[in-house]
Amino acid sequence: MNTISPVMPSRTKSLTIGDADWVRYALVVLTLAIIGVFLILPLATVLIEAFAKGWTAYASSLTHPDTVAAIKLTLLTAAITVPLTTVFGVSAAWAIARFEFRGKSLLITLIDLPFSVSPVIAGLIYVLIFGAQGWFGSWFSDHDIKIIFAVPGIVLATLFVTFPFVARELIPLMQEIGHEEEEAALSLGASGWQTFFKITLPNIKWGLLYGVLLCNARAMGEFGAVSVVSGHIRGLTNTLPLHIEVSYNEYDFVGAFASASLLAGLAVVTLVVKTFLEWKQKQDLKA
Amino acid sequence: MSITLSNISKRFGAFSALNNINLEIPDGDLVALLGPSGCGKTTLLRIIAGLEQADQGDVFLRGDKVTDKSVKNRHIGFVFQHYALFRHMTVFDNIAFGLRVKPSKDRPSEAVIRKRVHDLLSLVQLDWLHDRFPDQLSGGQRQRIALARALAVEPSVLLLDEPFGALDASVRKDLRLWLRHLHHELDVTTIFVTHDQEEAMEVASQIVVLNKGKIEQKGTPSEIYDSPSNDFVSHFIGQTNVFDLQKGDSAWLKSAGIVLDDAEGITAHVRPHHIGVEKLSDGSASPIILKDWQHLGATIRLELSNEGLNGSAKTIYAEMPSDQFKQLGLDKGDKVSLFIKHAHWFNLAKPQVPEAATDFYV
């Protein structure tokens, strides 16, 4: 019935129950201006600087062996941490949403710990534990295992900071969905795994993907914690964010901004997918 | 015996949810577990299903001890209060679920599954909904799909948790009768939990009244209604007027012609239709007046008040057929006399003595 629309003059409405028109416009313009100056402009700068010396310079800096090594290491780190965080997140959310036990609220607080600790401290913790002067440092060096200033340290530091993402997303979701559908599946003769894969997983899949996505963005973009444990060994222990910093410090602006454009691209993709997942999850919960 | 419970007890922390429950349910019965909320009825149902573990006691299904078996291996059908339909599956897939998760050696072929699902859908008269999703169904339809899903695995017992609790009043009435007829057709032992005594009376062939984790009485609806074994059952099932003789209610009974020597701890429960009312002329000394009355369809409910009696002011309810009420020609404020046709007596001072409940006829 779109043809019949209320004949309410909007000016009267805004005068009686809302703010005057100029307030609305001023607020919208202000918001757009802030977003423009602080978000769009820097993002545009990244692209402008990356292409400052043309396509070929952009392409060659991205195919530089050090850049390629940094990209590979970043992907490897994400490939290890994201599945681990996902498994941890699902188990923790399952335990918290399904069982009553002593210390449950303490556990929820602990899961949030990485959010409240500065990433630099997270990196430092691993240096103190596994570094040459650390608690276990001598044992590891005796056995010729390198953790700090090597890939394992980077993975550990990334794990620490990405730890809560999936769990945080799933706990409220699983609490809201409840346990009844799973009980119904069990009463119909399904095994625990069948119940998980056929009932639980389909119910939480959008929330799970959402958590995985945020976790992945953080894993690839993490700077602070990784910076402390990496040692900045070019071509070996530089992840993409570290590589950007090193390049920039060496006045290789095209190189720095070319790499930065990759992370910016990841951010944009993340944003789009995130919006889609949020929408899907809302649809599912409505059902 | 289809279901046997022996000495079932369950605690939640300091709260004792079930206390030494012993119950036997014969094959093919349709049993209502009836009680106020918090009486432990849902917990008991979940213990039978294996969704909850009793702290002590054993559960036997068809003679097999299943106390330590998981819900998966008990071959029960369970219908949840909010149906718990799988929201991401169609109605068809919901019903087929129990058949499809069987280990491959027991799993019927897809053609057999399809036939079985459509048979069940026609049994619940909803075949036309097979490709819908749960959120596209009404409450009553979801209920019937949940029932069909539970029946798909041919359970030895069917357990329903508050099956009509989440439905509109009119849908509820239809479904009650439908469930009773369906039970006649299938003849599978069925237990349902309810807090609604009317529902229990209407649907069940046997009623188990629970209160505070204990069984107060079990029997057919008529047994429970006509000879309640204690004051809780009498109060919980149907309407009743309670006369507590210690609190001065004996004046009521005196006015109805009943005199007691020793009123200690005695209460009398009188159903509204067991109270007879007669009109008195204005000049007479009766202290009881007709305060108000309501038309309940075939019967009229009278609100009687005893303002003139010594003792606490109190309202009691009587019911009579509307024809009879018309003949009496009563009006609000008229003086009446009453007589009690039938009362149940309970001695609360000695609640454990079985003789506490006695029938009394005038």
Side-chain angles (χ1 to χ4, degrees):
Chain A
M1 301 303 275
N2 286 329
T3 47
I4 308 165
S5 52
V7 208
M8 167 83 82
S10 66
R11 209 157 61 92
T12 333
K13 200 171 145 196
S14 65
L15 280 178
T16 47
I17 61 161
D19 303 306
D21 283 351
W22 70 268
V23 176
R24 276 193 283 165
Y25 290 128
L27 284 176
V28 171
V29 169
L30 185 69
T31 314
L32 283 178
I34 293 174
I35 291 178
V37 171
F38 290 102
L39 295 177
I40 309 290
L41 198 63
L43 214 59
T45 315
V46 169
L47 289 178
I48 290 166
E49 288 289 334
F51 289 105
K53 290 180 183 165
W55 258 107
T56 35
Y58 178 79
S60 73
S61 68
L62 279 190
T63 48
H64 189 279
D66 288 350
T67 316
V68 172
I71 295 172
K72 277 187 182 163
L73 181 59
T74 303
L75 291 176
L76 175 73
T77 310
I80 298 172
T81 50
V82 171
L84 286 178
T85 315
T86 305
V87 171
F88 163 77
V90 172
S91 341
W94 187 283
I96 287 167
R98 296 288 180 259
F99 307 123
E100 290 305 319
F101 52 89
R102 217 179 267 264
K104 186 158 144 176
S105 51
L106 181 71
L107 182 62
I108 297 176
T109 315
L110 281 180
I111 288 174
D112 273 347
L113 189 69
F115 279 156
S116 50
V117 172
S118 160
V120 176
I121 295 174
L124 214 54
I125 295 168
Y126 287 110
V127 173
L128 288 177
I129 296 177
F130 298 114
Q133 267 74 51
W135 294 354
F136 306 117
S138 52
W139 188 87
F140 280 111
S141 63
D142 288 348
H143 293 77
D144 211 20
I145 301 170
K146 276 193 73 75
I147 293 193
I148 298 305
F149 307 139
V151 175
I154 293 171
V155 170
L156 279 177
T158 311
L159 261 183
F160 185 94
V161 292
T162 57
F163 199 55
F165 280 93
V166 175
R168 240 2 209 161
E169 192 56 41
L170 288 185
I171 291 167
L173 181 64
M174 287 176 81
Q175 277 170 338
E176 183 172 343
I177 290 173
H179 195 25
E180 272 203 344
E181 284 182 44
E182 284 146 14
E183 287 185 335
L186 291 172
S187 78
L188 291 166
S191 68
W193 286 113
Q194 281 173 323
T195 305
F196 179 75
F197 284 110
K198 287 176 194 270
I199 307 300
T200 314
L201 210 51
N203 274 343
I204 62 168
K205 64 178 177 228
W206 300 118
L208 181 64
L209 284 175
Y210 184 90
V212 166
L213 180 81
L214 293 187
C215 172
N216 182 59
R218 183 71 193 265
M220 292 191 172
E222 175 56 27
F223 180 84
V226 173
S227 174
V228 177
V229 293
S230 134
H232 303 266
I233 307 166
R234 205 176 264 255
L236 278 180
T237 63
N238 264 356
T239 60
L240 210 45
L242 301 182
H243 181 69
I244 295 169
E245 196 213 12
V246 171
S247 305
Y248 187 82
N249 286 344
E250 291 171 355
Y251 304 104
D252 175 11
F253 293 132
V254 170
F257 282 106
S259 303
S261 73
L262 291 183
L263 285 182
L266 172 73
V268 172
V269 170
T270 304
L271 207 64
V272 171
V273 179
K274 172 176 167 283
T275 313
F276 171 75
L277 291 177
E278 274 172 349
W279 175 75
K280 277 306 254 186
Q281 190 184 326
K282 221 175 263 169
Q283 297 275 309
D284 263 24
L285 276 184
K286 244 189 270 167
Chain B
M1 286 298 148
S2 189
I3 302 169
T4 306
L5 304 175
S6 78
N7 287 320
I8 298 282
S9 291
K10 173 82 182 172
R11 303 183 72 84
F12 293 110
F15 174 69
S16 171
L18 292 171
N19 214 336
N20 251 345
I21 299 283
N22 288 291
L23 187 61
E24 293 202 329
I25 293 169
D27 269 337
D29 258 16
L30 177 53
V31 179
L33 290 181
L34 174 66
S37 60
C39 72
K41 54 193 190 298
T42 293
T43 307
L44 188 61
L45 194 76
R46 289 173 63 88
I47 286 174
I48 298 172
L51 292 168
E52 207 94 54
Q53 193 73 34
D55 296 338
Q56 91 184 38
D58 285 312
V59 180
F60 299 85
L61 295 178
R62 295 186 171 263
D64 294 334
K65 185 173 153 184
V66 296
T67 317
D68 300 319
K69 277 192 181 171
S70 72
V71 52
K72 172 181 178 325
N73 298 319
R74 288 196 188 187
H75 304 293
I76 50 100
F78 199 98
V79 177
F80 291 81
Q81 185 177 1
H82 301 289
Y83 323 127
L85 294 177
F86 307 134
R87 64 188 89 191
H88 60 284
M89 292 184 194
T90 61
V91 162
F92 184 96
D93 291 335
N94 261 281
I95 299 175
F97 183 86
L99 300 169
R100 286 180 176 156
V101 296
K102 280 179 191 282
S104 52
K105 62 175 170 23
D106 305 329
R107 193 185 309 148
S109 73
E110 201 55 28
V112 175
I113 291 178
R114 196 169 312 126
K115 179 165 186 319
R116 178 115 185 90
V117 172
H118 283 295
D119 287 351
L120 283 162
L121 276 168
S122 7
L123 179 74
V124 299
Q125 298 149 9
L126 290 176
D127 206 9
W128 51 289
L129 289 176
H130 64 95
D131 56 353
R132 303 281 183 90
F133 283 91
D135 64 316
Q136 296 168 309
L137 308 179
S138 72
Q141 289 167 345
R142 284 181 210 190
Q143 167 69 275
R144 286 190 275 165
I145 297 301
L147 199 59
R149 182 179 69 178
L151 290 171
V153 290
E154 293 174 334
S156 64
V157 293
L158 190 58
L159 307 170
L160 306 108
D161 185 9
E162 295 273 4
F164 313 106
L167 298 172
D168 294 342
S170 62
V171 183
R172 205 181 302 168
K173 277 238 179 296
D174 291 345
L175 270 183
R176 281 180 192 169
L177 280 180
W178 178 80
L179 179 67
R180 200 175 153 92
H181 294 150
L182 185 75
H183 178 260
H184 281 310
E185 213 170 303
L186 297 171
D187 202 35
V188 52
T189 314
T190 304
I191 304 183
F192 71 99
V193 154
T194 180
H195 61 269
D196 182 342
Q197 43 95 11
E198 212 177 289
E199 191 169 292
M201 302 279 288
E202 192 174 330
V203 180
S205 58
Q206 291 282 323
I207 297 178
V208 177
V209 184
L210 281 166
N211 183 37
K212 293 181 179 161
K214 283 164 98 168
I215 294 179
E216 298 281 357
Q217 189 174 2
K218 56 191 171 193
T220 64
S222 348
E223 282 165 8
I224 301 264
Y225 188 86
D226 293 334
S227 23
S229 65
N230 57 42
D231 64 319
F232 173 82
V233 176
S234 157
H235 205 262
F236 193 69
I237 307 286
Q239 295 267 329
T240 193
N241 294 294
V242 178
F243 297 105
D244 188 337
L245 301 191
Q246 297 231 275
K247 291 189 185 142
D249 287 345
S250 51
W252 276 105
L253 300 176
K254 258 182 225 153
S255 70
I258 301 168
V259 183
L260 280 172
D261 299 333
D262 179 16
E264 169 123 21
I266 302 260
T267 55
H269 287 204
V270 184
R271 303 251 185 234
H273 61 267
H274 286 144
I275 295 182
V277 176
E278 246 149 44
K279 191 176 181 175
L280 285 175
S281 59
D282 284 346
S284 61
S286 170
I288 300 166
I289 59 163
L290 174 65
K291 205 162 82 178
D292 201 359
W293 56 273
Q294 292 101 35
H295 207 300
L296 304 180
T299 57
I300 303 286
R301 179 167 61 200
L302 312 173
E303 275 182 39
L304 306 168
S305 153
N306 67 339
E307 276 144 25
L309 276 178
N310 42 359
S312 54
K314 170 168 178 154
T315 303
I316 68 159
Y317 298 92
E319 277 175 23
M320 64 174 69
S322 67
D323 300 348
Q324 195 186 335
F325 182 71
K326 268 181 207 144
Q327 281 170 10
L328 284 176
L330 279 170
D331 225 335
K332 280 182 204 173
D334 280 356
K335 286 185 177 177
V336 295
S337 72
L338 58 97
F339 56 96
I340 291 171
K341 292 180 264 186
H342 184 189
H344 291 114
W345 297 90
F346 301 106
N347 190 339
L348 297 185
K350 301 179 269 179
Q352 299 309 321
V353 181
E355 288 82 18
T358 47
D359 285 357
F360 175 87
Y361 289 91
V362 175

